[in-house]
Amino acid sequence: MASKQPRFGVRVTCAGPLSGVDALHRSSVEADRLGFDTLWVHDYFVWNRLLDSVHISCGSRETFWEASARDDYQPLFLESITNLAYIAGITENIRLGLAVLCLPYREALGTAKQIANVDVLSNGRLELGVGQGAPLSTHNVEFEVMGISRGTKVRHTREVFEAMREVWTKDKATFRGEFSSFEDAEVYPKPVQKPYPPIWIGGSAEKSLEMIADYADGWLSFWITPPQFPAAIADIHRRMEARGRDPEKFTAGTEIQVYLADTTEQARAEAEPTMLAFEEGYAGTTGHHLSPEERTDTLDAIWAASLIGSPDDVSEEIGRYIESGCTAFEMKFIYHTVDHLIEQWTRFQEEVAPNFA
């Protein structure tokens, strides 16, 4: 999976006030038509007004303000695996990414079948991100609502992934664990991609890094700046080598906010309301890879690890990421309408992407 050529992916409209069937359809088809490498969706079960206002991966803070003032407002989040099954049927070339499937919330055997089925429906275009679920500091309450222990979430994540791997790779799969157990499970279809779709894992805490070294084909980091990448990548490579895995087959990537305007000053001013929301929405998620004396506050870290500016300035910053070893970008554009999103995507493909062809 590793590639030195940059890969540009985009988050499609699957959550928030601008989401819905029409928006998901249009943004997915346009992402394919415009030639992006991957489209991405994300994963939540429980979604409420607070999350709609501070976890903005699709839209902007202004779109939330406008929508929440209406009498008919309801927070909306379309489910991730079924999103990709739908998208598989309306796209042709673009790869389909899930960033990330929270495994403690999922039953292993049924989820393994769903994932394999999406890979079949898309003719082998799936990119599977997996994770352990968001911390309570980010207003995630799914563990509490579902009655799942946060104390066992890392072990739970590992076990569900290992159980799914058995289903994908064995004609008769058997797994006995604390959270997943089945005997002689004959589950078809198997994934088109062998042995299974590429695996992405996010995070930079110690337990996340250990899972990356054990399982991942790619690292989907967030809030990391170009100067911080070389040491982080070297650390992951050392961990992989200790397990007999080849670091040359590994890709480092990042989830990153994007906003394009004629000038960087204009872009920063127009993106500011949404960026300010992230200070509350992602509290406690930045800086795990840094020593205490190097850590900055959440908002500073978010601004520093974003692509917000003119096409020329964004191109220069992408160049710095690539030079640092980060070659995959899951871009979460800030936008006020679906038309605005597609305008920005088009501008990126015309004025930024050609610099890296």
Side-chain angles (χ1 to χ4, degrees), residues 310-320 351-353 355-356:
S310 68
D312 286 345
D313 287 348
V314 166
S315 294
E316 288 184 13
E317 187 68 3
I318 289 173
R320 286 189 277 270
E351 300 181 42
V352 178
N355 297 318
F356 307 99

Side-chain angles (χ1 to χ4, degrees), residues 192-203:
V192 171
Q193 299 175 92
K194 302 301 181 186
Y196 40 80
I199 302 299
W200 295 83
I201 296 178

Side-chain angles (χ1 to χ4, degrees), residues 17-53:
L18 296 178
S19 61
V21 176
D22 290 344
L24 182 65
H25 187 287
R26 185 179 176 201
S27 60
S28 300
V29 170
E30 286 294 316
D32 194 15
R33 183 187 67 81
L34 287 167
F36 286 104
D37 295 294
T38 312
L39 64 76
W40 295 88
V41 301
H42 53 313
D43 187 43
Y44 270 84
F45 280 113
V46 177
W47 191 253
N48 54 38
R49 177 182 287 260
L50 175 60
L51 291 171
D52 225 10
S53 72

Side-chain angles (χ1 to χ4, degrees), residues 80-128:
S80 59
I81 297 177
T82 45
N83 279 342
L84 293 184
Y86 174 75
I87 293 168
I90 60 174
T91 58
E92 296 180 0
N93 300 306
I94 197 166
R95 294 187 65 79
L96 313 181
L98 207 172
V100 296
L101 189 70
C102 300
L103 294 188
Y105 313 155
R106 303 280 177 166
E107 184 275 324
L109 195 150
T111 304
K113 184 179 182 71
Q114 290 174 308
I115 292 298
N117 210 62
V118 170
D119 202 46
V120 170
L121 292 173
S122 65
N123 195 26
R125 290 187 280 142
L126 182 63
E127 304 264 337
L128 177 60

Side-chain angles (χ1 to χ4, degrees), residues 16-299:
L18 296 178
S19 61
V21 176
D22 290 344
L24 182 65
H25 187 287
R26 185 179 176 201
S27 60
S28 300
V29 170
E30 286 294 316
D32 194 15
R33 183 187 67 81
L34 287 167
F36 286 104
D37 295 294
T38 312
L39 64 76
W40 295 88
V41 301
H42 53 313
D43 187 43
Y44 270 84
F45 280 113
V46 177
W47 191 253
N48 54 38
R49 177 182 287 260
L50 175 60
L51 291 171
D52 225 10
S53 72
V54 296
H55 278 224
I56 303 167
S57 295
C58 308
S60 65
R61 193 70 180 278
E62 291 93 328
T63 60
F64 167 75
W65 287 336
E66 181 181 345
S68 63
R70 298 196 306 261
D71 292 338
D72 63 349
Y73 163 76
Q74 288 185 325
L76 178 61
F77 196 106
L78 299 172
E79 194 277 328
S80 59
I81 297 177
T82 45
N83 279 342
L84 293 184
Y86 174 75
I87 293 168
I90 60 174
T91 58
E92 296 180 0
N93 300 306
I94 197 166
R95 294 187 65 79
L96 313 181
L98 207 172
V100 296
L101 189 70
C102 300
L103 294 188
Y105 313 155
R106 303 280 177 166
E107 184 275 324
L109 195 150
T111 304
K113 184 179 182 71
Q114 290 174 308
I115 292 298
N117 210 62
V118 170
D119 202 46
V120 170
L121 292 173
S122 65
N123 195 26
R125 290 187 280 142
L126 182 63
E127 304 264 337
L128 177 60
V130 299
Q132 57 191 276
L136 190 60
S137 67
T138 67
H139 308 292
N140 169 283
V141 294
E142 288 173 308
F143 286 94
E144 290 72 28
V145 170
M146 295 182 180
I148 300 168
S149 170
R150 290 184 181 272
T152 60
K153 68 179 183 179
V154 174
R155 190 163 76 248
H156 200 155
T157 300
R158 284 180 169 273
E159 188 173 299
V160 172
F161 176 75
E162 291 173 2
M164 292 196 304
R165 188 171 57 182
E166 289 295 299
V167 173
W168 294 329
T169 59
K170 302 288 177 59
D171 288 333
K172 285 188 176 183
T174 295
F175 191 90
R176 300 182 183 90
E178 180 181 358
F179 306 102
S180 301
S181 293
F182 45 83
E183 186 95 18
D184 289 340
E186 296 184 71
V187 180
Y188 297 94
K190 303 300 183 186
V192 171
Q193 299 175 92
K194 302 301 181 186
Y196 40 80
I199 302 299
W200 295 83
I201 296 178
S204 53
E206 176 64 22
K207 291 179 179 178
S208 296
L209 293 171
E210 287 291 289
M211 281 198 288
I212 290 165
D214 283 334
Y215 308 131
D217 302 292
W219 177 35
L220 202 58
S221 68
F222 55 95
W223 314 142
I224 298 183
T225 62
Q228 296 159 356
F229 261 101
I233 293 170
D235 177 51
I236 292 172
H237 284 184
R238 285 191 295 269
R239 295 169 190 260
M240 294 181 71
E241 288 169 346
R243 291 158 168 79
R245 300 187 63 208
D246 184 1
E248 291 299 314
K249 297 179 180 179
F250 184 80
T251 298
T254 186
E255 285 188 12
I256 195 162
Q257 264 65 42
V258 185
Y259 191 89
L260 297 176
D262 291 341
T263 68
T264 292
E265 292 75 18
Q266 177 190 354
R268 290 180 66 88
E270 293 178 2
E272 186 173 27
T274 302
M275 298 295 283
L276 289 172
F278 296 144
E279 185 173 27
E280 179 182 356
Y282 293 93
T285 63
T286 62
H288 290 301
H289 57 290
L290 301 174
S291 62
E293 61 272 16
E294 291 177 305
R295 291 178 186 172
T296 60
D297 67 29
T298 299
L299 187 59

